[in-house]
Amino acid sequence: MKITFKFILIFFLIFIMNCASESMEFTTAKTALRSEKDFKRAEEWLQKALKVDSTDAMICYVYATEILKPQKRFQEMSKMLDLAAKRNPNQKLETPFIWDEKAVMTVQDGVKAYKEQEWSIIYNEGIDNYQKNNINEAIEMFEIAILFLPTNPSTYGTLAALYLSNDKIDLAGEIIERGLSYDSENENLVEMQANYYIKKKDLINGEISLIKALEISKNPGNILRQLVFIQIDLEKYESAIEYSLQALRDFPNDPDIYYNVAVLYQKMGIDKFDKARDRYLKISNEQNQDKNQLKLILEEFKNSRNFFVDSKDYFLTVTDLNPDDETSYDAVKEIKKMLKQLDELFIPSLRDMIK
């Protein structure tokens, strides 16, 4: 009981000392705020107090937490909290409190607690707006959330995703860069950076970012899928196959990955087929045909056929895992047509020409 009494007595004395040292304007503002409940008059006196006393951090602190916070004037609140911490971070609070199981005694600790609390409220409000498809409101909330906790990478990743989905590509690039300046190894931000480059049609940097994201990711499935398709577009087929096989090892029952691998082999088959057919059409019109060239074209057609066979097998696996996937059934039909052309036209024709 004595300890409690001493504790209360100490803060009572601190309170008396604070009152003795604060300006008349600040005292008047607190009276209007807490006794009279006149927020308009209190704000007028707080603004006067800010001009009269440039050292008292509690003026800014009270302004932020008791005037701006209830009115959800978040941007002004954040600035006022920053000003409080700048004026006198070690100034004692009038009313200490507990936050995150710790005693909050000073202005800088109070500012930190309020910023964390408001960030959580504003961030969740942004998520709520997003789920209700209020995209502009969601973006506004996340932009404000960054003001409260500029070092938290979660906000940057979420905001960047919204910018990208709404074709605000340059804004997405800027916010990603800011986020990575605080946490260069953040998985979500690095993956978002890859999406930004892909939107910009910068596949080389997109590939670099995806590879980095893959190295630090705990859930690499989607990253592997994206990486495979980018490498296909960059015609890096061998490494695309390697990443595809890695994806299959990690997710052996994921039909989406089998589908991606099937598309990969199909694209490689078409690429080989188109190049071999162009060479075939050219050489077939020549009177003196180079048999070595004919043999090379034949090998290209055979390689193309192997890719098509692999693709068909992977598409069939997709249909086993997901019988409702009509796209895979259609792809198998198209591949069978290609195989028929190879087996009944191009390969026999080249064999006859080589004889």
Side-chain angles (χ1 to χ4, degrees):
M1 190 71 180
K2 290 182 179 178
I3 295 174
T4 305
F5 176 75
K6 287 182 179 178
F7 187 75
I8 294 173
L9 179 61
I10 289 170
F11 283 108
F12 177 74
L13 291 173
I14 291 173
F15 177 74
I16 295 297
M17 290 171 64
N18 284 339
C19 289
S21 62
E22 69 188 22
S23 67
M24 177 274 292
E25 289 80 4
F26 188 27
T27 302
T28 305
K30 287 194 291 184
T31 301
L33 177 63
R34 296 168 182 170
S35 300
E36 302 169 9
K37 306 298 181 183
D38 188 338
F39 287 88
K40 182 178 179 181
R41 183 166 177 268
E43 183 168 7
E44 290 173 355
W45 280 102
L46 281 170
Q47 290 176 348
K48 292 176 182 178
L50 285 171
K51 296 176 181 178
V52 170
D53 190 344
S54 61
T55 60
D56 190 348
M58 284 305 300
I59 300 172
C60 313
Y61 186 85
V62 169
Y63 198 171
T65 59
E66 298 185 43
I67 294 287
L68 301 174
K69 181 181 183 299
Q71 297 180 37
K72 292 190 174 182
R73 292 158 63 182
F74 295 122
Q75 291 176 318
E76 294 172 80
M77 178 185 176
S78 177
K79 291 179 181 178
M80 198 57 62
L81 286 173
D82 288 338
L83 182 58
K86 182 179 179 181
R87 278 191 168 193
N88 190 351
N90 297 317
Q91 186 173 339
K92 299 299 180 182
L93 295 178
E94 292 178 351
T95 309
F97 59 95
I98 300 296
W99 171 256
D100 197 21
E101 300 182 354
K102 296 178 182 177
V104 178
M105 310 284 289
T106 64
V107 165
Q108 66 178 359
D109 291 338
V111 166
K112 182 175 182 292
Y114 268 104
K115 286 209 163 195
E116 289 177 357
Q117 174 183 272
E118 293 309 302
W119 176 89
S120 179
I121 293 170
I122 295 165
Y123 184 85
N124 288 330
E125 191 171 333
I127 294 294
D128 185 57
N129 275 294
Y130 172 73
Q131 291 173 342
K132 293 177 180 176
N133 205 35
N134 300 327
I135 303 302
N136 290 334
E137 290 83 353
I139 288 175
E140 182 181 358
M141 287 297 101
F142 293 130
E143 288 174 339
I144 293 172
I146 285 176
L147 295 176
F148 281 88
L149 283 185
T151 60
N152 189 319
S154 301
T155 323
Y156 293 95
T158 308
L159 182 56
L162 278 175
Y163 281 151
L164 286 176
S165 64
N166 287 273
D167 292 325
K168 298 180 178 181
I169 300 175
D170 291 336
L171 285 175
E174 292 172 10
I175 212 70
I176 290 167
E177 187 174 345
R178 281 177 59 191
L180 288 172
S181 70
Y182 293 110
D183 186 358
S184 61
E185 298 295 312
N186 183 271
E187 172 188 342
N188 185 38
L189 276 173
V190 175
E191 185 176 358
M192 204 57 60
Q193 185 182 50
N195 293 335
Y196 161 74
Y197 283 129
I198 292 168
K199 279 270 191 179
K200 295 276 286 186
K201 309 298 183 185
D202 185 351
L203 298 185
I204 293 176
N205 278 315
E207 179 193 26
I208 292 171
S209 294
L210 283 173
I211 291 173
K212 181 177 179 180
L214 188 63
E215 292 172 351
I216 60 180
S217 175
K218 296 177 181 177
N219 299 293
N222 184 59
I223 298 171
L224 280 168
R225 296 185 190 101
Q226 286 185 286
L227 185 55
V228 167
F229 278 114
I230 280 189
Q231 293 195 323
I232 292 171
D233 291 336
L234 292 172
E235 298 186 358
K236 295 184 176 182
Y237 296 131
E238 291 185 6
S239 58
I241 290 175
E242 290 178 9
Y243 283 117
S244 297
L245 295 177
Q246 178 183 337
L248 289 177
R249 288 193 299 270
D250 293 343
F251 307 95
N253 297 314
D254 187 336
D256 290 339
I257 296 177
Y258 280 95
Y259 183 87
N260 290 342
V261 177
V263 170
L264 167 61
Y265 280 107
Q266 184 184 33
K267 285 194 172 187
M268 289 192 293
I270 291 171
D271 183 66
K272 287 283 185 182
F273 176 84
D274 288 344
K275 290 177 180 177
R277 183 181 57 185
D278 290 344
R279 294 179 64 188
Y280 169 86
L281 293 174
K282 182 179 179 181
I283 201 169
S284 61
N285 293 321
E286 296 177 358
Q287 292 184 346
N288 298 317
Q289 295 170 342
D290 186 333
K291 290 196 175 184
N292 288 328
Q293 287 297 317
L294 291 172
K295 290 177 182 178
L296 290 174
I297 297 171
L298 178 60
E299 285 303 310
E300 288 181 3
F301 275 129
K302 287 181 178 179
N303 289 334
S304 171
R305 188 184 190 284
N306 290 335
F307 285 133
F308 283 130
V309 170
D310 287 337
S311 177
K312 177 170 67 73
D313 290 343
Y314 281 115
F315 275 125
L316 289 173
T317 302
V318 175
T319 62
D320 290 338
L321 294 170
N322 184 10
D324 296 329
D325 187 346
E326 295 182 2
T327 306
S328 295
Y329 288 110
D330 293 338
V332 169
K333 290 179 183 178
E334 292 301 315
I335 291 171
K336 285 181 177 179
K337 291 179 183 178
M338 299 298 294
L339 290 172
K340 186 175 182 180
Q341 287 187 54
L342 286 165
D343 292 341
E344 297 182 7
L345 175 60
F346 291 105
I347 291 177
S349 173
L350 277 165
R351 284 173 175 164
D352 289 339
M353 292 165 70
I354 291 171
K355 290 180 181 178

